[in-house]
mmCIF file of all heavy atoms in Angstrom:
data_model
loop_
_atom_site.group_PDB
_atom_site.id
_atom_site.type_symbol
_atom_site.label_atom_id
_atom_site.label_comp_id
_atom_site.label_asym_id
_atom_site.label_seq_id
_atom_site.Cartn_x
_atom_site.Cartn_y
_atom_site.Cartn_z
ATOM 1 N N GLU Q 8 20.322 -32.613 13.354
ATOM 2 C CA GLU Q 8 19.388 -31.622 12.789
ATOM 3 C C GLU Q 8 18.861 -30.747 13.919
ATOM 4 O O GLU Q 8 18.857 -31.156 15.085
ATOM 5 C CB GLU Q 8 18.231 -32.313 12.052
ATOM 6 C CG GLU Q 8 17.384 -33.225 12.926
ATOM 7 C CD GLU Q 8 16.361 -34.041 12.136
ATOM 8 O OE1 GLU Q 8 16.640 -34.373 10.951
ATOM 9 O OE2 GLU Q 8 15.295 -34.342 12.695
ATOM 10 N N ARG Q 10 15.616 -28.996 15.394
ATOM 11 C CA ARG Q 10 14.159 -29.103 15.298
ATOM 12 C C ARG Q 10 13.476 -27.952 16.025
ATOM 13 O O ARG Q 10 14.023 -27.374 16.964
ATOM 14 C CB ARG Q 10 13.691 -30.416 15.933
ATOM 15 C CG ARG Q 10 14.192 -31.638 15.200
ATOM 16 C CD ARG Q 10 13.823 -32.906 15.967
ATOM 17 N NE ARG Q 10 14.358 -34.083 15.287
ATOM 18 C CZ ARG Q 10 14.517 -35.277 15.877
ATOM 19 N NH1 ARG Q 10 14.161 -35.457 17.150
ATOM 20 N NH2 ARG Q 10 15.018 -36.295 15.187
ATOM 21 N N GLU Q 33 18.427 -43.439 2.801
ATOM 22 C CA GLU Q 33 19.001 -43.607 1.459
ATOM 23 C C GLU Q 33 18.042 -43.032 0.422
ATOM 24 O O GLU Q 33 16.820 -43.138 0.576
ATOM 25 C CB GLU Q 33 19.232 -45.092 1.168
ATOM 26 C CG GLU Q 33 20.404 -45.657 1.943
ATOM 27 C CD GLU Q 33 20.874 -46.988 1.350
ATOM 28 O OE1 GLU Q 33 20.812 -47.139 0.109
ATOM 29 O OE2 GLU Q 33 21.294 -47.850 2.137
ATOM 30 N N PRO Q 34 18.585 -42.441 -0.630
ATOM 31 C CA PRO Q 34 17.688 -41.869 -1.639
ATOM 32 C C PRO Q 34 16.893 -42.943 -2.364
ATOM 33 O O PRO Q 34 17.425 -44.009 -2.698
ATOM 34 C CB PRO Q 34 18.640 -41.150 -2.603
ATOM 35 C CG PRO Q 34 19.997 -41.705 -2.341
ATOM 36 C CD PRO Q 34 20.003 -42.184 -0.931
ATOM 37 N N ARG Q 53 11.332 -16.730 11.466
ATOM 38 C CA ARG Q 53 10.655 -16.492 12.736
ATOM 39 C C ARG Q 53 9.141 -16.617 12.563
ATOM 40 O O ARG Q 53 8.454 -17.194 13.420
ATOM 41 C CB ARG Q 53 11.037 -15.105 13.274
ATOM 42 C CG ARG Q 53 10.315 -14.679 14.534
ATOM 43 C CD ARG Q 53 10.604 -15.602 15.715
ATOM 44 N NE ARG Q 53 9.683 -15.307 16.807
ATOM 45 C CZ ARG Q 53 8.450 -15.783 16.861
ATOM 46 N NH1 ARG Q 53 8.000 -16.596 15.941
ATOM 47 N NH2 ARG Q 53 7.671 -15.459 17.873
ATOM 48 N N LEU Q 68 6.040 -28.683 14.682
ATOM 49 C CA LEU Q 68 6.711 -29.002 15.950
ATOM 50 C C LEU Q 68 7.379 -30.375 15.832
ATOM 51 O O LEU Q 68 6.786 -31.316 15.309
ATOM 52 C CB LEU Q 68 5.700 -29.027 17.094
ATOM 53 C CG LEU Q 68 5.324 -27.674 17.702
ATOM 54 C CD1 LEU Q 68 4.208 -27.853 18.723
ATOM 55 C CD2 LEU Q 68 6.546 -27.011 18.347
ATOM 56 N N ILE Q 81 26.004 -36.751 -2.389
ATOM 57 C CA ILE Q 81 26.889 -37.901 -2.089
ATOM 58 C C ILE Q 81 26.274 -39.223 -2.511
ATOM 59 O O ILE Q 81 26.940 -40.260 -2.458
ATOM 60 C CB ILE Q 81 27.300 -37.931 -0.595
ATOM 61 C CG1 ILE Q 81 26.069 -38.023 0.327
ATOM 62 C CG2 ILE Q 81 28.141 -36.715 -0.228
ATOM 63 C CD1 ILE Q 81 26.436 -38.336 1.780
ATOM 64 N N SER Q 85 19.062 -40.209 -9.467
ATOM 65 C CA SER Q 85 18.435 -39.267 -10.392
ATOM 66 C C SER Q 85 19.488 -38.847 -11.401
ATOM 67 O O SER Q 85 20.620 -39.348 -11.375
ATOM 68 C CB SER Q 85 17.949 -38.033 -9.633
ATOM 69 O OG SER Q 85 19.049 -37.201 -9.327
ATOM 70 N N VAL Q 105 16.619 -35.585 -0.729
ATOM 71 C CA VAL Q 105 15.832 -34.541 -1.396
ATOM 72 C C VAL Q 105 15.306 -35.057 -2.734
ATOM 73 O O VAL Q 105 16.040 -35.755 -3.464
ATOM 74 C CB VAL Q 105 16.738 -33.307 -1.685
ATOM 75 C CG1 VAL Q 105 15.927 -32.152 -2.256
ATOM 76 C CG2 VAL Q 105 17.487 -32.868 -0.433
ATOM 77 N N ALA Q 110 15.765 -29.694 -6.086
ATOM 78 C CA ALA Q 110 17.112 -29.192 -5.787
ATOM 79 C C ALA Q 110 17.605 -28.418 -7.005
ATOM 80 O O ALA Q 110 17.339 -28.796 -8.134
ATOM 81 C CB ALA Q 110 18.043 -30.351 -5.474
ATOM 82 N N LEU Q 127 23.366 -14.481 -4.952
ATOM 83 C CA LEU Q 127 22.891 -15.168 -6.168
ATOM 84 C C LEU Q 127 21.696 -16.087 -5.887
ATOM 85 O O LEU Q 127 21.243 -16.802 -6.780
ATOM 86 C CB LEU Q 127 24.024 -15.987 -6.797
ATOM 87 C CG LEU Q 127 25.115 -15.201 -7.526
ATOM 88 C CD1 LEU Q 127 26.110 -16.160 -8.164
ATOM 89 C CD2 LEU Q 127 24.522 -14.271 -8.586
ATOM 90 N N ALA Q 134 15.822 -8.800 -3.451
ATOM 91 C CA ALA Q 134 16.203 -7.404 -3.692
ATOM 92 C C ALA Q 134 15.835 -6.986 -5.116
ATOM 93 O O ALA Q 134 15.257 -5.914 -5.346
ATOM 94 C CB ALA Q 134 17.706 -7.236 -3.455
ATOM 95 N N ALA Q 156 22.048 -2.869 6.172
ATOM 96 C CA ALA Q 156 23.263 -3.659 6.379
ATOM 97 C C ALA Q 156 22.955 -5.148 6.393
ATOM 98 O O ALA Q 156 23.854 -5.972 6.470
ATOM 99 C CB ALA Q 156 23.940 -3.251 7.690
ATOM 100 N N ALA Q 179 20.506 1.649 9.261
ATOM 101 C CA ALA Q 179 21.001 0.471 9.977
ATOM 102 C C ALA Q 179 21.183 0.865 11.438
ATOM 103 O O ALA Q 179 21.063 2.044 11.783
ATOM 104 C CB ALA Q 179 22.325 -0.002 9.367
ATOM 105 N N LYS Q 187 29.731 0.838 7.318
ATOM 106 C CA LYS Q 187 29.762 -0.227 6.302
ATOM 107 C C LYS Q 187 28.895 0.135 5.084
ATOM 108 O O LYS Q 187 29.268 -0.164 3.941
ATOM 109 C CB LYS Q 187 29.258 -1.505 6.958
ATOM 110 C CG LYS Q 187 29.372 -2.733 6.113
ATOM 111 C CD LYS Q 187 30.775 -3.280 6.176
ATOM 112 C CE LYS Q 187 31.027 -4.215 5.014
ATOM 113 N NZ LYS Q 187 32.422 -4.621 4.963
ATOM 114 N N ASP Q 195 24.923 6.426 -0.575
ATOM 115 C CA ASP Q 195 25.282 7.847 -0.547
ATOM 116 C C ASP Q 195 25.094 8.450 0.839
ATOM 117 O O ASP Q 195 25.732 9.448 1.181
ATOM 118 C CB ASP Q 195 24.395 8.620 -1.534
ATOM 119 C CG ASP Q 195 24.623 8.154 -2.947
ATOM 120 O OD1 ASP Q 195 25.717 8.391 -3.478
ATOM 121 O OD2 ASP Q 195 23.706 7.530 -3.525
ATOM 122 N N ALA Q 213 17.607 13.181 2.299
ATOM 123 C CA ALA Q 213 16.923 13.200 1.000
ATOM 124 C C ALA Q 213 16.223 14.539 0.822
ATOM 125 O O ALA Q 213 15.003 14.635 0.893
ATOM 126 C CB ALA Q 213 15.905 12.052 0.919
ATOM 127 N N ASP Q 222 11.253 -1.632 2.006
ATOM 128 C CA ASP Q 222 10.988 -1.764 3.441
ATOM 129 C C ASP Q 222 11.319 -3.152 3.965
ATOM 130 O O ASP Q 222 10.609 -4.116 3.678
ATOM 131 C CB ASP Q 222 9.507 -1.456 3.713
ATOM 132 C CG ASP Q 222 9.191 -1.457 5.205
ATOM 133 O OD1 ASP Q 222 10.123 -1.315 6.011
ATOM 134 O OD2 ASP Q 222 8.006 -1.592 5.559
ATOM 135 N N VAL Q 224 11.776 -3.360 7.370
ATOM 136 C CA VAL Q 224 11.713 -3.117 8.811
ATOM 137 C C VAL Q 224 10.289 -2.866 9.318
ATOM 138 O O VAL Q 224 9.905 -3.328 10.387
ATOM 139 C CB VAL Q 224 12.628 -1.920 9.175
ATOM 140 C CG1 VAL Q 224 12.447 -1.537 10.625
ATOM 141 C CG2 VAL Q 224 14.095 -2.258 8.903
ATOM 142 N N LEU Q 229 8.594 2.815 8.230
ATOM 143 C CA LEU Q 229 7.570 2.990 7.194
ATOM 144 C C LEU Q 229 6.884 4.343 7.357
ATOM 145 O O LEU Q 229 6.621 5.050 6.384
ATOM 146 C CB LEU Q 229 6.551 1.843 7.263
ATOM 147 C CG LEU Q 229 5.432 1.888 6.228
ATOM 148 C CD1 LEU Q 229 5.973 1.954 4.802
ATOM 149 C CD2 LEU Q 229 4.514 0.671 6.378
ATOM 150 N N SER Q 249 11.400 -5.781 12.454
ATOM 151 C CA SER Q 249 11.065 -5.204 13.759
ATOM 152 C C SER Q 249 9.805 -5.841 14.334
ATOM 153 O O SER Q 249 9.515 -5.686 15.515
ATOM 154 C CB SER Q 249 10.877 -3.686 13.646
ATOM 155 O OG SER Q 249 9.676 -3.359 12.972
ATOM 156 N N ASP Q 252 9.370 -10.718 15.774
ATOM 157 C CA ASP Q 252 9.741 -11.360 17.023
ATOM 158 C C ASP Q 252 8.973 -10.787 18.211
ATOM 159 O O ASP Q 252 9.384 -10.955 19.339
ATOM 160 C CB ASP Q 252 11.263 -11.188 17.212
ATOM 161 C CG ASP Q 252 11.872 -12.327 18.020
ATOM 162 O OD1 ASP Q 252 11.328 -13.444 17.959
ATOM 163 O OD2 ASP Q 252 12.864 -12.083 18.709
ATOM 164 N N GLY Q 259 0.701 0.698 13.592
ATOM 165 C CA GLY Q 259 1.018 0.954 12.194
ATOM 166 C C GLY Q 259 1.289 2.427 11.959
ATOM 167 O O GLY Q 259 1.118 3.256 12.859
ATOM 168 N N VAL Q 267 -2.828 8.777 0.096
ATOM 169 C CA VAL Q 267 -3.857 9.295 -0.824
ATOM 170 C C VAL Q 267 -3.342 10.582 -1.467
ATOM 171 O O VAL Q 267 -3.270 10.691 -2.695
ATOM 172 C CB VAL Q 267 -5.178 9.568 -0.094
ATOM 173 C CG1 VAL Q 267 -6.223 10.092 -1.067
ATOM 174 C CG2 VAL Q 267 -5.677 8.322 0.620
ATOM 175 N N LEU Q 271 0.557 7.315 -3.448
ATOM 176 C CA LEU Q 271 1.586 6.302 -3.233
ATOM 177 C C LEU Q 271 1.054 4.905 -3.537
ATOM 178 O O LEU Q 271 -0.146 4.644 -3.403
ATOM 179 C CB LEU Q 271 2.068 6.329 -1.781
ATOM 180 C CG LEU Q 271 2.582 7.660 -1.241
ATOM 181 C CD1 LEU Q 271 3.070 7.481 0.205
ATOM 182 C CD2 LEU Q 271 3.704 8.216 -2.110
ATOM 183 N N ILE Q 279 9.573 -15.758 -3.813
ATOM 184 C CA ILE Q 279 9.351 -17.093 -4.382
ATOM 185 C C ILE Q 279 8.242 -17.088 -5.443
ATOM 186 O O ILE Q 279 8.231 -17.934 -6.338
ATOM 187 C CB ILE Q 279 9.080 -18.126 -3.243
ATOM 188 C CG1 ILE Q 279 9.449 -19.523 -3.731
ATOM 189 C CG2 ILE Q 279 7.654 -18.046 -2.762
ATOM 190 C CD1 ILE Q 279 9.679 -20.508 -2.606
ATOM 191 N N TYR Q 282 9.850 -16.939 -8.816
ATOM 192 C CA TYR Q 282 10.803 -18.006 -9.125
ATOM 193 C C TYR Q 282 10.054 -19.088 -9.858
ATOM 194 O O TYR Q 282 8.959 -19.428 -9.428
ATOM 195 C CB TYR Q 282 11.388 -18.555 -7.814
ATOM 196 C CG TYR Q 282 12.311 -19.723 -7.964
ATOM 197 C CD1 TYR Q 282 13.669 -19.516 -8.149
ATOM 198 C CD2 TYR Q 282 11.824 -21.030 -7.934
ATOM 199 C CE1 TYR Q 282 14.525 -20.592 -8.296
ATOM 200 C CE2 TYR Q 282 12.677 -22.106 -8.082
ATOM 201 C CZ TYR Q 282 14.022 -21.882 -8.255
ATOM 202 O OH TYR Q 282 14.869 -22.936 -8.408
ATOM 203 N N PHE Q 323 18.074 -11.077 15.007
ATOM 204 C CA PHE Q 323 17.105 -10.184 15.663
ATOM 205 C C PHE Q 323 17.801 -9.228 16.624
ATOM 206 O O PHE Q 323 17.259 -8.191 16.989
ATOM 207 C CB PHE Q 323 16.022 -11.007 16.369
ATOM 208 C CG PHE Q 323 15.301 -11.891 15.394
ATOM 209 C CD1 PHE Q 323 15.633 -13.227 15.261
ATOM 210 C CD2 PHE Q 323 14.333 -11.359 14.546
ATOM 211 C CE1 PHE Q 323 15.002 -14.032 14.323
ATOM 212 C CE2 PHE Q 323 13.695 -12.156 13.603
ATOM 213 C CZ PHE Q 323 14.022 -13.498 13.490
#
Side-chain angles (χ1 to χ4, degrees):
Chain Q
E8 60 188 31
R10 295 174 182 161
E33 287 197 35
R53 175 62 191 82
L68 278 174
I81 59 169
S85 77
V105 185
L127 286 184
K187 187 81 198 173
D195 297 292
D222 185 20
V224 173
L229 181 56
S249 72
D252 209 29
V267 180
L271 305 182
I279 204 160
Y282 176 89
F323 301 99

